[in-house]
Amino acid sequence: MKTKANKKVTKDLETDILIIGGGITGLSTAYFLQDKKVILIDKGKIGYGKTSYSTGKLTYLQDSLLKDSKEKENLYLSSQIEAIKLIKDIIIENSIKCNYESNSSFLYATNKKEKRNILKIENILKRNMISYKVKDNNNLYNPIYSIKVDDTAVINPARYILGLKEVLTEKIEIYENSIAKDFEYKDNQFLVKVNNNIIKAKILIVATHYPFLVSLGLIPFKTHIEKSYLLATKVDKNKKFNAISEKGNYSIRFYSDNEDDYMIYCSCSNKLSKNIDNEKIVSNISWELKSRFNKKPQYIWSNTDIMSSDLIPLAGKLDKNLYIATGYCTWGLTNGTISAKVISDEIRNVQNKYTKLLDPSRMSNIVNLVVNNLQTAKTYVLSKVIKNYSFYRDNVEVYTENGIRYGKYIDENKNEHIVYNKCPHMKCNLIFNSISKTWDCPCHSSRFDIDGNIICGPSCYSIKVEKK
C-alpha cells in the first residue's frame, strides 16, 4: 500500500484503525499494528512535534520512580526497561539512523531531602535486582550524592520519529497537515471530522500530545502542564553520560553530530502558569549555563509536558474501541512507547501487565488532583483579570473592543498582527511569548503564531481575525 505521507486529507476515507497523532505514541502504535489496515494523521508535519523537542534520553533511572506502593514502583520501573528494549530492537531491526548511543545515567541529589529520596530509589533497584553504583561525579553541578547505571542510552528523537515514519511508508496510510476537530460514534464506527472531510474507523486512537477534546478522559482535570527550557552549547568532548536531579530541576546529556559535540542542558521546569515571563526565564537559564559550565548557548527552546497526578501515563481503552495516551511526565520516549504497546496489545486481545497501571480512567492521588485543579482555576481567573503583563514591551497590547478581547503584536516592520485573545479549547486568555513570537495559553499550553494560526493543541482551532 502506497503511503499518503506529505499529503493531507482531501476526501472521505475509511479504515479499520485511525490513529490521530504522528509523534512517538502514534507512530509506535502504528508500528505494532502495521499488519492491519491503519490510517495515521497528524495536524502538521511529522517530526516537528513535541517528541522532537525532548532531550532524547532512554533511561529508567528517573526522578519519578517513587510511587505510592511497591507494586506500582516495580511495574513502572519494569515498563521503562521494557520500553528501552522495544526502542532499541526497533532501531536495530530497521537500521534507523538516529544517533543511538549507549551511555551511563546518573540520578543525583543537591540537598538532603533529594538524597533521602534517592536512597528510597536504591531500594527499588535492589528489589528488582538491578545493578547500580554510588558514585561522585565532578561533571555534575555540586551533587551531594548520586547513583549510576550503565545500561541506558540516548538518541536523536526527531531522527527516530522520521525513521519510524520511513519504516511505515509502505505499510500504512499517513496523512500530514490534517487536523481532527471532532468525532461521533455511530453504527459501530467512528466518524471523525478531518479537514472538513470524514474518516470512518472501527477503532480510534487519540495519540496527540494533549487530547483535543475535553471529554476524552477528562484529561484537563487529571493533569497539569509543566514547562521546561533547554539550551544546547558546543563542548570539547562528548562525555558519554546523561543525568537528572532527583526533583527533575536540572538535566544534562551530550550529543555528537558530524564533527561537533554538544551539551544539552534543561532547567527552570515549573508549572506552565508560573513560566510565563519567557525572557526572564531564558535569561536565568543562560546565566545558569554560564555560572556552572562557563558556556553560552547556541540554541534555546522550550517544551511542555503533561503531568498526571501520580506521575504515571494515562493510556489505554476509554470506551468501546476508543483509546487515548497522554501524561508522560517528562519521559515521553519511554512512556510513549510503552503506552503504544499497551494499546496495540489491547486491540489484539493480548494480555499486558501494564494495562491496569496505565488505565486512563483511573482517579488517583486525590490531593494532587485537587491542588492542580485549584491552580488551573486560579490561572484561568488571572488570565481574565490581567490584560497587559508588566513584562510586555511596547509592541504588544491586549485590549477589548465591542466586548471582544484582542491581542496585538507590532513586528519590526511596524506591521500590526491582531488575533482573538482567547483560547478556543477552554477559553483561557492568552499570553504573548516574546521569545518565540507566539500567543500561548497559560492553562493547557495551546500555541498560536502572530497571525492566529494554531501551532499546537489541545486547541483544534485558530484565533485568526478575518480581515474585512
Side-chain angles (χ1 to χ4, degrees), residues 85-96 100 160:
K85 184 179 185 305
L86 286 168
I87 293 172
K88 184 176 181 180
D89 288 347
I90 290 171
I91 291 170
I92 293 172
E93 289 170 11
N94 299 281
S95 301
I96 296 177
Y100 179 92
Y160 179 66

Side-chain angles (χ1 to χ4, degrees), residues 133-192:
K133 295 178 182 178
V134 176
K135 189 174 179 65
D136 292 326
N137 193 310
N138 294 327
N139 291 312
L140 306 178
Y141 177 70
N142 195 28
I144 66 169
Y145 191 79
S146 66
I147 58 175
K148 171 191 174 187
V149 296
D150 292 320
D151 53 344
T152 55
V154 290
I155 61 172
N156 181 315
R159 289 179 179 172
Y160 179 66
I161 289 297
L162 292 173
L164 270 178
K165 174 188 169 185
E166 183 65 27
V167 169
L168 293 168
T169 293
E170 302 297 330
K171 305 291 186 180
I172 68 168
E173 293 185 74
I174 300 175
Y175 294 84
E176 298 177 321
N177 300 310
S178 299
I179 186 166
K181 295 185 176 180
D182 203 355
F183 71 86
E184 63 175 324
Y185 190 67
K186 185 177 180 181
D187 298 328
N188 295 317
Q189 63 181 345
F190 292 94
L191 306 177
V192 185

Side-chain angles (χ1 to χ4, degrees), residues 58-241:
L58 300 177
T59 176
Y60 57 84
L61 194 59
Q62 300 174 6
D63 56 311
S64 55
L65 280 178
L66 293 174
K67 307 299 177 192
D68 60 13
S69 72
K70 290 183 179 180
E71 180 186 10
K72 287 183 180 179
E73 288 172 344
N74 295 345
L75 273 175
Y76 180 78
L77 174 61
S78 174
S79 75
Q80 302 306 289
I81 293 171
E82 183 172 328
I84 293 169
K85 184 179 185 305
L86 286 168
I87 293 172
K88 184 176 181 180
D89 288 347
I90 290 171
I91 291 170
I92 293 172
E93 289 170 11
N94 299 281
S95 301
I96 296 177
K97 293 180 172 56
C98 59
N99 301 87
Y100 179 92
E101 179 183 282
S102 297
N103 66 9
S104 302
S105 293
F106 288 86
L107 182 65
Y108 68 97
T110 58
N111 56 53
K112 291 182 179 179
K113 183 178 179 180
E114 288 185 359
K115 180 178 178 179
R116 287 195 295 271
N117 285 338
I118 291 180
L119 293 175
K120 293 177 183 177
I121 288 172
E122 286 185 54
N123 289 330
I124 301 173
L125 298 177
K126 289 175 183 176
R127 278 203 312 265
N128 289 274
M129 295 180 289
I130 293 176
S131 176
Y132 69 93
K133 295 178 182 178
V134 176
K135 189 174 179 65
D136 292 326
N137 193 310
N138 294 327
N139 291 312
L140 306 178
Y141 177 70
N142 195 28
I144 66 169
Y145 191 79
S146 66
I147 58 175
K148 171 191 174 187
V149 296
D150 292 320
D151 53 344
T152 55
V154 290
I155 61 172
N156 181 315
R159 289 179 179 172
Y160 179 66
I161 289 297
L162 292 173
L164 270 178
K165 174 188 169 185
E166 183 65 27
V167 169
L168 293 168
T169 293
E170 302 297 330
K171 305 291 186 180
I172 68 168
E173 293 185 74
I174 300 175
Y175 294 84
E176 298 177 321
N177 300 310
S178 299
I179 186 166
K181 295 185 176 180
D182 203 355
F183 71 86
E184 63 175 324
Y185 190 67
K186 185 177 180 181
D187 298 328
N188 295 317
Q189 63 181 345
F190 292 94
L191 306 177
V192 185
K193 185 177 180 181
V194 182
N195 293 354
N196 297 317
N197 299 286
I198 297 295
I199 300 180
K200 296 180 181 179
K202 297 174 184 176
I203 296 172
L204 178 61
I205 302 168
V206 180
T208 53
H209 177 67
Y210 199 118
F212 64 97
L213 294 177
V214 175
S215 59
L216 286 169
L218 300 176
I219 297 304
F221 307 104
K222 293 183 178 181
T223 64
H224 71 275
I225 314 295
E226 186 172 288
K227 187 174 183 179
S228 304
Y229 293 78
L230 300 95
L231 308 176
T233 184
K234 286 186 179 180
V235 293
D236 294 332
K237 182 181 179 182
N238 182 337
K239 296 183 179 179
K240 306 288 185 181
F241 76 86

